[in-house]
Amino acid sequence: MSLAPEVYDALEAVVGSRYITQDPVDCEAYSGSRGGHGKDLGMERVLCQPPAAVVLPGSTREVQDVVRICNRYQIPFVPVSSYWVTHCAPRVPEALLIDLKRLNSLEIDDRHMFAVVGPGVIYSQLLEEAMRRGLYTTTPGGGSQASVVANHLTCGFSPLNYRTGFAERRILGLEWVAPDGELVRMGSLAMQDDPFWGEGIGPDLRGVLRGYIGWYGGMGIVTRMAVKLIPFQPERLVPSGISPETALEFPANRIRWFNITFPTREDLVEAMYSIARNEIGAAVTKVPVFWRYIARAKSKEHFWEMWEAPGKEEEIKNSHILRVLLVGYTSEKHLEYEIRVLEDIVKDLGGQFRPTKQSDESWLKNADSVGMWWMTGGYASIEYTIDTLDCGVRGGEYLAELKTQCTPPLMPDYGDPGWFQMGELGHVGYLEFLTYFDPEDSEDNIHKVDEWYYVTGPKKDIEIGLYNGFTLQESPVYLSGPAYGPNFHLWMDRLKGAYDPRRISNPPWPADVDEVIEKVDWLERDW
Amino acid sequence: MLQLEHYKYDAARCVGCKGCVWVDHIYMPGVQFGMKCPSAACYLFDSYAPYGRMKIALAVMEGRLPYSDKLADIVYSCTMCGACDAGCKRNLDLEPLLLLEAFRQRCVAQGYILPQHRAVAERIRATHNYFGRSHEDRARWWPEDVKKTGRGKGDVLYFTGCSSSYVHKEISQSIIRLLQKAKIAVTHLGSEEWCCGYSLVTTGQVEEARHVAVHNIEAALKSGAGTILVGCAECYKTWKVEYPKLLGKSTADMGYQVVHASEYLAGLVQDGTLAPGHAVPMKVTYHDPCNLGRLSEPWTHWEGTRGRFGTLQPPKEYRRGTYGVYEPPRQILNNIPGIELVDMPRHRENAWCCGFGGGVRDAFPQLAGWAAGERVTEAQSVGAEAIVSGCPWCKAGMQQAVRESRSPVEVLDVVEVLARAVLGRVG
Amino acid sequence: MNLKDELIKIVGRDYVLDAAEILEQYSRDHSFYPARRPNFVVRPHNTEEVQEIVKLANRCQVPLIPASSKAHFHGCTIPKQGGIVVDMRRFDRILEIDERNRNVKIEAGVTWGQLQSTLAQHEGMVVGPLMPHPEKSVITTFLEREVPVIQIYEYREPLLSMEVVWPTGDVFRTGSASAKNYPNTLVKGVCPVGPGSVDFYRFLEGAQGTMGIVIWALLKFEYRPRVNRTFFVPLRSPAEAVEPFYRIGRRKIGYECLLLDKTSLISILTREPRFDAGSLDHVLPDWCLILVLSGSRARPEERLAYEEEALRETFKNEFAGLQLLSSLPGVPGIEHKLPDWLRDTWPQGLPFWKHSFKCGCEDLPFISRPERVPGLLEVAAGVAGRYGHKTGDLGIYVQPLENSRACHVDLSFYFNPDSASGMEWTRRVYAEVALALMNSGALYTRPYGVLADLVYGRASSYTLALKKLKSVFDPNHIMAPGNLCF
């Protein structure tokens, strides 16, 4: 597989010979067996493949020219930055991979609290620069290694969204190379050379670039984006420790984590609502119990020794641990005030404070999403619902029940209803339901995981009325799409047609799973 | 010999988090100096990053990629600095470095070896040193005014290494004078000291490496010294990690203990045996040599199987870079009057490699020079007047970069600085 | 069958209006834009009827102009090319108040007066713009992206999911309400984003009715604080407010924080008959920064205490030359009333505060960095001055946004709606000021009327992309033609 000589020459003329390759060894490094989320499932095994060539453009103009060449020669292209999900690997033959890592500029306007980043900038880099200025933003569940631009366009949720809100609300002015190669400036950039404001002139075209999730490269390339930053607190979080035990030490006068146990899940949920009603907190989250075991484990083997010890089911049924992050944004007294309010709430609901490390191993600057693969080798979240917290809790319970039917081959998690938390100061709740499996399992068992991921879960969503952000990622959109909106897939398809008339921006998105289902015989087509 | 297939699980289970190339996010300094993999940062294509090499290795194992010049270029243009390894083991406990070692060994076993690396092996075979210099000259660095005090059993054996024997004699001479000052009995192998073989083992030439290993170990054991003192990070790792690995043993079973001069001398400073009485007024930064820092933990031989969810039976000891020799050199520097020690943004297990390891200085001098230049720039960014290291090869690399960039920064070894402070002189 | 009969068939005879006086009413609004009559006004009362009307309009290629309430201010509902006004006033139900999750589901015709009085019974409020007209549709307010006066919530957009009839006639639910069988679902519809890879709600905001007809929407509500403390900072010029804005926003102090010029402040204060405009003119400062600190539900006094301490400390250390007053000289007791005023609608029955000066008002809203606001106001004053405007002839309201990293500015141009020449003259001043401001960096994200031509002419790539979007949702171009760039 390689590009036609005239195509290669044209691309080389744009980026220079140092920044283009079609050597199969180079291309193999961009093959599908890489993405973190969804790795090892049907998508990767059935569709993903190496690109025909890779280019590393160094400017918006180069990206634009590359995309125009792709349009001229009808070359499918796949943009990647931090490259974290299987949908960013080529799923069609003869694709050009556009690696954006050279676009790594980062500028911060401290006074107006925004950063302008290229797709090559990752979260921990942004957070370092932001925190130096007393600012912060969400470090997403996808991890600190995620590209700020790609993640804002794709997902972007974490416990910090309790204060920082949806990622799409933090997108400001940006430069978008549309799939046809047209450069569109959005937000204030549409009008002036200043990206500080995000709203469109009239209808907001940011809505084209992402919804619940993004297009995973299926809607052109954002080469430069301003993202909003939020006031944090002025003290330095000091890094300490040596890998793998590194952490940011909290300034005790400004930031505190609390671990609180409650007698029942109902009490825990009431506490979360109460915290939100009282407008305190920087993060309010209930994490899966096995994460706590991961945190304690010295090795994979140690984890399994602990996790499979007798009595786990009972322990998890009775384990109701809430993690609350409080920040004194305004002053030290602000933190003291919030602690008092939290103490009132915990007392009212019979909770108990537990010892908690006063440092950040995860969520402020660092997010260890990768560690989730450590214990089993295979992970994919089957659910990513945002609605009310009650919805998230009940949805998690439904899915936990459903999961028992598919365990094994799924990793046993003893009925844990997943990860739920508050967003937007309690106006929304979030459920993420995680699935672990052994990718080295038998083919039959992997097919069962595929079925769980691509069919069973999504069908349950539709049946009980959950709203899954991963719907597009994990279910055949032309089969599940009629249920949402309704027919949101048709609107997506029309938008795709309007902006990507040649359908070359990361095909076959959004019909990836449809293609998988079409190609395999172990997934049912009856929806 | 390592078998590439033993690391197929590791190659397949890489999720592309790039923990192998980014500085630990907790310590992430920003966009500048945010990466810790010289190869990935220099060449940019994912194929030159550890996560890309894992996929390439997988394709080779599955018979999807044949050997090619490009493949060799990718496999060998890595300094084997192990930044990836510490990064990966922060989250996933995969073995990107062992995989690459095995990959190189496989290439060599199948007859694919870079001519520059073959030349090194030939020089070592012929002259027992890396440079191809006369073996007779090897021990000429020993200062005439210093008596050989070692008597054998229980003494410290100073293994000088090629660089400090032939080029950076100021390091070996500083060490020996400091030991003399401390009245430590030191023995030396003389002409029985051969190149440690780091350049062989790291380029996959394990048979040649085993040959020198066996020789050096026999000579050392024969000397009766229980402690092998080295001033070179490459020698340190080779004696401590590679020799047992080559022989299918654990470090603990080798019958000797390996100590780096910085560890040994830090102890002498701490207990007051050596008193740094001369001020060295200088703002310095310490460059952690990869082979002394994150790669220096002992090797534990492991044989076993993988079970459900990839668990190992029996469990193995991971070398995560946690217990590297990070503090002793800093303790020395912090005890010297006048020294102001500042860390560079990338330090300890996140340190940026000088670029000279892993056979890169021989086959990819451009990469080596670029990486060293980056390190000099980083040192300048913290206002350091001098970069202090614990390895003559790091010193060589960074000195070259300093010369090329006309940087005012001085490059020193930690023992030189200590010698200045204790003896008022170097070498 | 003619168009009228078809409409009657859909909504019934009583709800198809074409009497001249009715059409005349719909030909104008509170803005200074020229009157244009619609051909019909229809008042549907359910989604199906709206859907049928839209389908009919597509078949007949007749423009549709959605209108959600009785009070319109920017000319968006004036039929630029004739057609049918779809008046949503019968969609006036508050469908659900979910106190646990702090949201309210309302239909498009629900007004501010109706909603806030109902939510007050729950100690709640939807955070609205500065004293909205009681008859203005709440949903329209947010579709028009009017800025909330309380900015402490980072995510200031209160709109959640919606039901919409697209210009094609397809019914659609955005956000989590898109789930099948909604509302008989686990989801309640509080997630605004999606479904899929598209934020459909973004197309409806700022669309001036061109992208579809919203039937209902969920909105966030917040608890109304029980205790408040108001502070006033009298200023000689808007420039003096700039640094306090930055510092107060950065430290996250207070609920409301806004700057009013004397004209606007008088317009607001004179809602109480005891305050007389003439007297106020003598006692009020030229500019007044107003700040309200509030306690939340738990330990409210303690919250007030730490915020007040931070505020006083900020002024003492950084703005020693400014007075931080807990009452407004010459306006006794206003400190106690203002928090409620700022969180309520303008009282029913009183002339709207923006109309109290000359009965008519056209706002010129723009966004800017705070530090640039004083310069922009000087530009506006300079241009207006050339037309004989004096200080005080324009009303000015400056609202810091998003922790004061930006500001919304409303310039109010007052006019007499009974004077055609006066309106024309105002239009001319307005257009010139708008152009001058744009050239100086003012950002118009809500381009009403003449602003549309200014901005779309400049933002060519955005305009082109927007037209592609429009063609997807409104291929026959029937929805509110003449608005924006469509």
Side-chain angles (χ1 to χ4, degrees), chain B residues 114-127:
Chain B
L114 299 183
Q116 298 92 332
H117 293 158
R118 191 190 299 279
V120 171
E122 282 165 5
R123 291 202 302 269
I124 292 174
R125 193 181 309 124
T127 65

Side-chain angles (χ1 to χ4, degrees), chain A residues 491-512:
Chain A
W491 292 106
M492 278 184 66
D493 191 67
R494 288 170 198 154
L495 282 169
K496 177 87 171 158
Y499 293 105
D500 183 12
R502 292 178 182 79
R503 308 256 172 185
I504 57 170
S505 188
N506 200 13
W509 183 267
D512 302 18

Side-chain angles (χ1 to χ4, degrees), chain C residues 81-96:
Chain C
Q81 298 171 14
I84 304 163
V85 169
V86 183
D87 185 341
M88 301 292 282
R89 69 176 64 195
R90 291 170 71 203
F91 288 81
D92 60 354
R93 291 176 300 164
I94 296 173
L95 298 170
E96 188 183 357

Side-chain angles (χ1 to χ4, degrees), chain B residues 148-365:
Chain B
K148 292 187 180 169
T149 54
R151 296 176 205 287
K153 200 170 174 66
D155 283 347
V156 171
L157 166 67
Y158 176 45
F159 185 89
T160 318
C162 301
S163 180
S164 299
S165 295
Y166 291 98
V167 181
H168 290 289
K169 298 176 187 175
E170 70 282 5
I171 294 176
S172 47
Q173 290 170 351
S174 294
I175 289 173
I176 217 68
R177 288 188 190 285
L178 285 164
L179 292 174
Q180 183 198 32
K181 172 84 176 172
K183 300 188 168 51
I184 304 294
V186 183
T187 191
H188 189 259
L189 291 179
S191 62
E192 286 304 302
E193 179 181 306
W194 289 6
C195 169
C196 70
Y198 168 83
S199 297
L200 302 173
V201 70
T202 200
T203 54
Q205 303 181 82
V206 282
E207 287 312 314
E208 291 84 345
R210 193 177 291 119
H211 180 66
V212 297
V214 168
H215 169 85
N216 280 333
I217 293 166
E218 272 180 16
L221 293 177
K222 202 166 142 192
S223 77
T227 299
I228 295 167
L229 179 80
V230 295
C232 167
E234 290 187 358
C235 294
Y236 182 84
K237 190 210 173 198
T238 307
W239 275 92
K240 190 171 176 183
V241 178
E242 301 303 345
Y243 285 178
K245 203 193 292 178
L246 285 164
L247 301 175
K249 291 177 160 186
S250 298
T251 304
D253 300 329
M254 294 301 287
Y256 57 76
Q257 188 196 358
V258 189
V259 181
H260 187 263
S262 64
E263 294 176 281
Y264 197 85
L265 296 171
L268 297 177
V269 171
Q270 289 297 110
D271 68 16
T273 308
L274 291 178
H278 301 271
V280 183
M282 190 182 265
K283 184 173 181 178
V284 304
T285 189
Y286 179 68
H287 164 80
D288 290 276
C290 314
N291 293 305
L292 183 61
R294 58 192 163 223
L295 290 177
S296 69
E297 290 167 315
W299 173 261
T300 304
H301 181 69
W302 179 86
E303 281 179 49
T305 54
R306 268 193 201 277
R308 202 167 53 105
F309 294 115
T311 50
L312 294 173
Q313 289 305 327
K316 81 172 178 186
E317 287 290 319
Y318 285 98
R319 298 170 61 248
R320 297 185 173 115
T322 312
Y323 304 106
V325 181
Y326 301 118
E327 298 315 316
R330 289 178 170 83
Q331 282 167 7
I332 290 175
L333 295 169
N334 279 324
N335 273 291
I336 295 174
I339 289 271
E340 182 193 348
L341 177 64
V342 286
D343 269 327
M344 284 181 273
R346 294 171 290 193
H347 56 79
R348 296 178 173 79
E349 76 276 24
N350 292 298
W352 176 262
C353 173
C354 71
F356 268 49
V360 164
R361 61 177 172 253
D362 307 304
F364 301 93

